[in-house]
């Protein structure tokens, strides 16, 4: 088994019934993901973004719990769905 840590930027968008998460974008560079999350939080229509990491086995798709690196903008406190 090969474990890999992915760093993920997840944008949040304003929805009629609150805040909804967008599609995550993964890479292996934490600095790039933090910069992307900050940029996404400034885009029109987005209320915030979060940069987080998750470690797991890409061959099986088995990943552990996400660890939040940084939040930008108005992001929900409960990020358990990551």
């Amino acid at each position: 088994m090969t474990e890999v840590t992915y760093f993920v930027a997840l944008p949040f968008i304003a929805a009629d019934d609150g805040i909804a998460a967008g599609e995550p974008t993964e890479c292996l560079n934490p600095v790039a993901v933090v910069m992307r999350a900050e940029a996404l939080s400034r885009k029109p229509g987005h209320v915030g973004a979060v940069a987080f990491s998750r470690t797991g086995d890409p061959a099986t798709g088995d990943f552990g719990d996400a660890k939040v690196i940084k939040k930008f903008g108005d992001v929900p406190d409960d990020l358990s769905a990551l």
Side-chain angles (χ1 to χ4, degrees):
M1 174 186 350
T2 302
E3 284 207 349
V4 176
T5 299
Y6 288 98
F7 297 93
V8 182
L10 182 67
F12 288 88
I13 57 174
D16 291 341
D17 58 349
I19 296 173
E23 288 297 314
T25 301
E26 300 179 355
C27 81
L28 299 175
N29 184 338
V31 175
V33 166
V34 169
M35 290 173 63
R36 177 168 172 74
E38 183 176 20
L40 285 170
S41 71
R42 298 172 191 262
K43 284 181 78 173
H46 289 87
V47 296
V50 63
F52 64 95
S53 67
R54 61 184 186 178
T55 300
D57 184 357
T60 63
D62 183 21
F63 288 92
D65 292 334
K67 294 181 183 160
V68 173
I69 301 168
K70 194 154 185 183
K71 292 193 229 180
F72 297 93
D74 185 12
V75 177
D77 288 332
D78 180 15
L79 298 175
S80 59
L82 296 177

